[in-house]
Amino acid sequence: MPRVMTERADAVLALAGVFRTYGYGGASLAAISQHTGLGKGSLYNFFPGGKEEMAEAVLEQVAIWFQDEVYRPLRSPDRPGPERITAMIETVEWYFTSRQLVCLFGAFALGQERERFAVRIRGYFTDWIAALQAAFPEGIEDAGQLATDLVATIQGALVLARALDDPDVLKGTIERAYVVLADRLAH
Amino acid sequence: MPRVMTERADAVLALAGVFRTYGYGGASLAAISQHTGLGKGSLYNFFPGGKEEMAEAVLEQVAIWFQDEVYRPLRSPDRPGPERITAMIETVEWYFTSRQLVCLFGAFALGQERERFAVRIRGYFTDWIAALQAAFPEGIEDAGQLATDLVATIQGALVLARALDDPDVLKGTIERAYVVLADRLAH
DNA sequence: GTCTATACAGTGATAGAC
DNA sequence: GTCTATCACTGTATAGAC
């Protein structure tokens, strides 16, 4: 049983890479089978719901990762707010840079698969924005807007970094957005 | 001859809507035929290169529109720089709001069709960023970065507006980004 | 120039041998 | 539990009647 769980988890990791590379629609079962090293039979054994369940599992895995590595640290009172925000920025820079500059939720939000995964997509962004506000000082006006703006800029930086094929655009744009935000939070 | 050109142009407009709705991969020829009202024979008469040529024609049409309505006004010395920037913002807000909150170049940049249209995608964004800088006062340091940041924020606002299904996110985020930029430009 | 019919590859998904 | 063979279907693209 744990063996199976592990193998399924391994498959989910491989699936995430396939979806990042080919997109949801472009990830054919043939490509999935090839990149995961699993035959279609095995894939349907792990994911009886087919490709949609595979993508669901991937999105869930990514969401859990963000909960653990991004949202919870943002909410943790152990460190000062600004430190939590800079830590988040470093984390997501590393995360997306090491994952082909693709945010699966952002990509799915712009693709034809948007409606199918609408709930998860919405949750990913609302959770992120809410967690970010938790790292703000108290009494900030328009905290929701400021948090929204930073998350939006991160997503836009990913779009532009992909369009221009330049990872530096991601890093630079995000870090400048942080400076703007920190300035606003400090009044 | 002009008749044909007009009908092809009409087809391109309809095609743009189909690609916005279904994405590139999701836009089947059946759907295209249905939404354009043209049979496959007619479509291949207009676009011998098939779907790829259809998408090329759409991207070209959008690029020309942006050249005329966005980039050139940004460069026009007739009006003061800040006015040109606010005009651009109003234009693109209207444009994307009336087009399902989809920027085809941004969507293509995140999809599996990115490489196929890489040149056009890159040109769209570099032209936009360059034109925006032309509306800045002279001697601004990091003008390229500031312009990149605004374009990135617009794209990110589109991602978030789609993900949250809320057009107000587009409007609000863009307008706040303008305030930040104007403040930086004024020193 | 536009349509219908069709070719043929590739899709997601399933069945059954092992 | 994993594979191979195969299913029905849809995809793009083409051919040919009109």
Side-chain angles (χ1 to χ4, degrees):
Chain A
M1 176 85 105
R3 178 78 194 284
V4 172
M5 287 298 290
T6 303
E7 288 185 6
R8 198 192 121 114
D10 291 344
V12 171
L13 284 178
L15 283 167
V18 179
F19 285 128
R20 285 195 189 91
T21 303
Y22 298 99
Y24 179 74
S28 66
L29 287 192
I32 291 172
S33 177
Q34 193 175 349
H35 285 81
T36 57
L38 296 170
K40 293 185 187 180
S42 304
L43 287 170
Y44 276 90
N45 180 50
F46 285 133
F47 310 97
K51 199 162 86 162
E52 184 164 342
E53 187 172 338
M54 298 179 207
E56 281 281 1
V58 168
L59 293 183
E60 185 187 16
Q61 188 273 329
V62 175
I64 290 173
W65 192 92
F66 268 75
Q67 294 281 356
D68 292 342
E69 307 297 331
V70 180
Y71 309 156
R72 187 169 320 144
L74 274 174
R75 299 192 126 99
S76 163
D78 300 349
R79 291 198 287 172
E83 207 175 297
R84 284 179 261 158
I85 301 177
T86 53
M88 176 207 81
I89 286 184
E90 281 177 32
T91 300
V92 300
E93 275 179 13
W94 165 81
Y95 181 86
F96 292 125
T97 300
S98 60
R99 279 161 183 82
Q100 307 168 57
L101 303 174
V102 173
C103 172
L104 283 173
F105 289 93
F108 281 24
L110 292 197
Q112 66 269 29
E113 59 275 13
R114 179 183 74 132
E115 286 159 34
R116 207 184 299 210
F117 305 105
V119 176
R120 279 199 185 279
I121 293 170
R122 177 190 293 268
Y124 172 82
F125 287 113
T126 56
D127 288 354
W128 193 349
I129 291 166
L132 182 52
Q133 290 180 67
F136 289 176
E138 299 216 354
I140 293 287
E141 281 185 47
D142 309 324
Q145 294 179 347
L146 292 176
T148 301
D149 291 352
L150 181 59
V151 173
T153 304
I154 292 171
Q155 292 295 313
L158 285 165
V159 173
L160 231 59
R162 292 263 303 175
L164 303 179
D165 211 1
D166 181 4
D168 292 340
V169 168
L170 177 70
K171 191 172 165 67
T173 298
I174 291 181
E175 291 181 357
R176 290 191 295 274
Y178 168 72
V179 173
V180 170
L181 173 64
D183 184 64
R184 279 277 278 131
L185 292 180
H187 276 205
Chain B
M1 176 86 102
R3 178 75 193 286
V4 173
M5 287 297 292
T6 304
E7 288 182 6
R8 198 193 121 114
D10 291 344
V12 171
L13 285 178
L15 282 167
V18 179
F19 286 126
R20 286 196 189 89
T21 302
Y22 299 98
Y24 179 73
S28 68
L29 287 192
I32 291 172
S33 178
Q34 195 176 351
H35 285 81
T36 58
L38 295 169
K40 293 184 187 179
S42 305
L43 287 170
Y44 275 90
N45 180 50
F46 284 134
F47 310 97
K51 198 162 87 161
E52 184 165 342
E53 187 172 340
M54 298 180 207
E56 281 282 1
V58 167
L59 293 182
E60 185 187 16
Q61 188 273 329
V62 174
I64 290 174
W65 192 92
F66 269 76
Q67 292 282 356
D68 292 343
E69 307 297 332
V70 178
Y71 309 155
R72 188 169 318 146
L74 273 175
R75 299 192 125 100
S76 163
D78 299 353
R79 292 197 287 173
E83 206 175 299
R84 284 179 262 160
I85 301 177
T86 54
M88 177 208 80
I89 286 184
E90 282 178 31
T91 300
V92 300
E93 274 179 16
W94 165 82
Y95 180 85
F96 292 124
T97 301
S98 61
R99 280 162 183 80
Q100 307 167 55
L101 303 175
V102 174
C103 172
L104 283 174
F105 289 93
F108 281 23
L110 291 198
Q112 66 270 33
E113 60 276 14
R114 179 184 75 133
E115 285 159 33
R116 206 182 299 210
F117 305 105
V119 176
R120 280 200 184 278
I121 293 170
R122 176 189 293 268
Y124 172 83
F125 287 112
T126 56
D127 288 355
W128 192 348
I129 291 166
L132 182 52
Q133 290 180 66
F136 290 176
E138 299 216 354
I140 293 287
E141 281 185 48
D142 308 325
Q145 294 180 348
L146 292 175
T148 300
D149 291 352
L150 181 58
V151 173
T153 304
I154 292 171
Q155 291 296 314
L158 285 165
V159 173
L160 231 59
R162 292 263 302 177
L164 303 179
D165 212 1
D166 181 4
D168 292 340
V169 168
L170 177 71
K171 193 173 164 63
T173 298
I174 291 181
E175 291 180 358
R176 290 191 295 274
Y178 168 72
V179 173
V180 170
L181 174 64
D183 183 62
R184 279 278 275 131
L185 293 180
H187 276 204

